Amino acid sequence: MGRDADYNAITTLILDNRDSIYRLAYSYVHNQADAQDIVQESICKALSSRRSLRQPAHAKAWFYRIVVNTAFDFIRKNKKYLYLEADQLESESCASDPYPDLDLQDTVNKLSTVNRTIIVLRFYEDLELREIADIMDENLSTVKTRLYSSLKKLRLELDETAKTQSD
Amino acid sequence: MERLQPLINEYKNIEIPEEVEFMVRKTINEFESCRNRERKLIKFTAAVAAAVLLFVGAVNLSPVTASAMSKIPVLKELVRIVTIKELAYQSDNRDVNIKVPQIEGLPDSQLEKSLNEKYLQRNTALYEEFLARTGEDELSPMNLALFTDYKVKTHTADILVVEEVKTEIAASGAESVRYDNIDLKNQIIITLPSLFKDDSYIDVISDNIKAQMQAKTNKSEGIMFFIAGDGTVGGGFDKIAPEQTFYITADSQLVIVFDEYAVAPGSMGIVEFTIPTAVIQGSLVSNTYIK
């Protein structure tokens, strides 16, 4: 290939993380075709705007950010997916249910796209909060606040508070 | 966090389709084409729109399409009609002879195939129906005959008109005729309604035919037509059918045709009316076929 250093670094990153990238995309749309569209679009965006990657050390966060933004765009453009805002959640009750874990999953899915992304990146993708802040283009404190409020909704606050504070 | 573990597991177990790796590699290798992705999409849409226009144009027989199509080499020499099959039966008082035409050399083999299938099917049906209807009956030895024949009525670089004449004889004869007006360049069958913008042609042509009938009747004593409102028994001619038999001549004139007995006494045989183009100009879609 021999294009340039950025190109080689990014393509290596993409190839190494392709399954994670796909899963992340899938977590937004829950179908293979759309997930692949998002991945493809993200690769295109990343490679054609690779000059905007200033610190190669942050390449992974940079690329995940592209995937997340592409997924957000995709959801906005495709009305078949619900884009729930945080306040819409308040009306959703999930207190006493005989199937708590189904309930939990349901609640995760009903989180706003931004809040769900933080949960996915933090726990599913096991990224650091600082990386997540980079990806979401938010302050670290904002990400923390969002994460705590999501966890509260998921009724996971007690043990999770302990874990996030170690960051 | 234990409660979240099943969700994490589910996430980790999201099935990765096999094609993802291929897609990722392909996208990486061909990423230069990414930049054109949106533009490609638009181009593609434009191409589809153009194709739709072309299709509509072809149906409406617009001269633009015709001139674009005229780059195709002249087809006149390539197209010919042969008798593929002759269905014949003869006895003392039965005579049937059916010639099944077949078109050869149309570039659109689908059109050629469907036309040829139609010719074969229709003529075979005629033959079988004739034999069934005229089963030998010693008690009523009536002379019956059925002949079909075909010829090329018009053949220019643009248009091929195949004429099929059917003659049925039961003591006296009755002739009927059919035409397939084939646009050789656009590879379509020209129907009468397709020549016109709307249904107005029915009245325009009918009025002109009535006027021609009157003029011919007044001119010569031996000629008469059945015209509606003329005191003719059985109604007489009022309007042409929307799909009235017609053909297009080599000099781009529209000719409306009536079977024997349809609008005139049998002695007049098959009756044709050439419709002056000036009369129908306002209703024509274009002057591609009719000038």
Side-chain angles (χ1 to χ4, degrees):
Chain A
M1 295 191 206
R3 274 155 175 150
D4 52 59
D6 286 343
Y7 175 89
N8 290 332
I10 293 165
T11 55
T12 305
L13 173 89
I14 292 169
L15 283 169
D16 288 351
N17 292 285
R18 61 170 190 270
D19 287 357
S20 301
I21 295 162
Y22 174 82
R23 280 194 198 97
L24 181 60
Y26 187 93
S27 73
Y28 291 97
V29 292
H30 297 281
N31 91 69
Q32 299 189 346
D34 289 345
Q36 291 193 47
D37 275 358
I38 291 170
V39 173
Q40 190 170 30
E41 179 84 37
S42 304
I43 296 171
C44 281
K45 280 185 191 167
L47 289 175
S48 44
S49 65
R50 61 190 184 280
R51 309 264 176 249
S52 72
L53 173 63
R54 304 212 185 277
Q55 294 163 286
H58 292 164
K60 191 177 174 184
W62 172 81
F63 186 72
Y64 273 55
R65 179 169 165 183
I66 291 173
V67 176
V68 168
N69 286 337
T70 306
F72 281 13
D73 283 350
F74 190 92
I75 290 168
R76 261 196 294 275
K77 284 176 194 161
N78 292 271
K79 289 182 177 141
K80 60 181 168 172
Y81 297 113
L82 272 177
Y83 189 86
L84 279 179
E85 293 305 331
D87 55 344
Q88 289 175 270
L89 254 174
E90 306 306 322
S91 58
E92 302 284 343
S93 168
C94 52
S96 55
D97 196 293
Y99 305 102
D101 285 335
L102 285 181
D103 221 27
L104 183 66
Q105 181 173 19
D106 201 30
T107 314
V108 170
N109 287 336
K110 279 178 181 159
L111 288 173
S112 76
T113 317
V114 173
N115 287 338
R116 187 157 42 84
T117 300
I118 295 172
I119 297 280
V120 166
L121 293 177
R122 177 69 195 88
F123 300 111
Y124 298 5
E125 286 293 333
D126 211 20
L127 296 182
E128 301 296 321
L129 278 180
R130 196 171 305 281
E131 286 179 294
I132 296 171
D134 278 349
I135 291 169
M136 308 296 290
D137 200 19
E138 303 259 25
N139 294 329
L140 180 59
S141 61
T142 311
V143 172
K144 272 187 184 171
T145 311
R146 283 179 171 279
L147 180 62
Y148 294 152
S149 91
S150 299
L151 291 175
K152 209 170 268 174
K153 278 166 197 151
L154 300 173
R155 291 163 203 286
L156 293 168
E157 61 270 285
L158 290 175
D159 43 355
E160 179 46 32
T161 312
K163 186 174 178 183
T164 47
Q165 257 155 14
S166 68
D167 287 324
Chain B
M1 280 326 290
E2 276 166 30
R3 281 184 57 211
L4 208 48
Q5 198 54 50
L7 297 191
I8 295 169
N9 291 342
E10 195 192 328
Y11 181 84
K12 301 272 185 214
N13 287 331
I14 288 174
E15 187 198 339
I16 314 286
E18 276 178 32
E19 64 265 29
V20 168
E21 182 178 350
F22 174 76
M23 179 272 288
V24 168
R25 289 186 188 279
K26 191 172 188 296
T27 309
I28 286 172
N29 287 332
E30 298 170 3
F31 91 95
E32 279 91 351
S33 60
C34 290
R35 223 163 300 154
N36 303 325
R37 235 171 142 228
E38 269 183 44
R39 220 189 311 157
K40 252 188 204 163
L41 205 68
I42 293 160
K43 264 190 200 158
F44 177 71
T45 315
V48 170
V52 170
L53 277 180
L54 194 67
F55 179 68
V56 172
V59 170
N60 286 338
L61 317 167
S62 93
V64 178
T65 314
S67 72
M69 293 281 185
S70 64
K71 291 187 185 91
I72 298 168
V74 179
L75 301 163
K76 192 176 183 326
E77 280 73 33
L78 303 171
V79 181
R80 62 196 189 114
I81 300 185
V82 297
T83 304
I84 186 200
K85 203 172 183 181
E86 224 172 301
L87 302 164
Y89 171 83
Q90 212 165 9
S91 71
D92 284 348
N93 44 20
R94 300 282 184 275
D95 194 354
V96 52
N97 189 305
I98 293 186
K99 290 192 179 78
V100 184
Q102 183 171 40
I103 301 179
E104 288 180 350
L106 283 182
D108 181 347
S109 58
Q110 199 55 46
L111 177 70
E112 183 178 290
K113 195 169 164 249
S114 76
L115 275 170
N116 288 337
E117 273 170 12
K118 187 186 78 174
Y119 290 142
L120 182 61
Q121 209 170 29
R122 196 169 54 210
N123 284 295
T124 308
L126 267 179
Y127 178 71
E128 285 169 355
E129 193 252 350
F130 177 83
L131 287 187
R133 181 159 48 88
T134 63
E136 296 282 357
D137 184 350
E138 297 299 327
L139 295 172
S140 58
M142 205 167 102
N143 289 319
L144 297 169
L146 173 67
F147 306 108
T148 70
D149 205 348
Y150 63 86
K151 70 176 184 198
V152 174
K153 189 79 175 178
T154 304
H155 196 176
T156 68
D158 300 326
I159 289 174
L160 172 71
V161 179
V162 180
E163 179 189 71
E164 291 178 280
V165 180
K166 181 177 82 174
T167 310
E168 267 192 282
I169 298 167
S172 73
E175 268 193 315
S176 64
V177 67
R178 292 186 42 91
Y179 297 94
D180 283 313
N181 293 270
I182 304 161
D183 177 344
L184 292 174
K185 281 180 180 160
N186 295 309
Q187 301 292 312
I188 50 171
I189 302 287
I190 305 161
T191 66
L192 192 59
S194 74
L195 294 170
F196 300 100
K197 288 180 225 164
D198 52 38
D199 288 345
S200 64
Y201 72 91
I202 296 174
D203 287 332
V204 173
I205 291 174
S206 300
D207 290 345
N208 181 262
I209 288 174
K210 276 188 248 182
Q212 287 195 42
M213 285 175 168
Q214 287 293 354
K216 283 181 186 169
T217 308
N218 294 340
K219 205 173 161 190
S220 167
E221 257 183 55
I223 289 176
M224 79 164 284
F225 296 95
F226 309 140
I227 305 174
D230 211 15
T232 311
V233 183
F237 173 74
D238 181 22
K239 277 182 169 99
I240 59 164
E243 298 270 6
Q244 184 67 44
T245 309
F246 78 101
Y247 67 89
I248 298 166
T249 65
D251 52 355
S252 303
Q253 298 287 299
L254 175 67
V255 179
I256 298 288
V257 183
F258 296 93
D259 287 345
E260 202 176 3
Y261 298 110
V263 296
S267 60
M268 293 190 61
I270 288 171
V271 181
E272 296 187 348
F273 294 95
T274 301
I275 309 298
T277 302
V279 171
I280 48 174
Q281 185 58 48
S283 301
L284 285 171
V285 169
S286 76
N287 289 108
T288 305
Y289 300 117
I290 311 292
K291 283 169 196 141

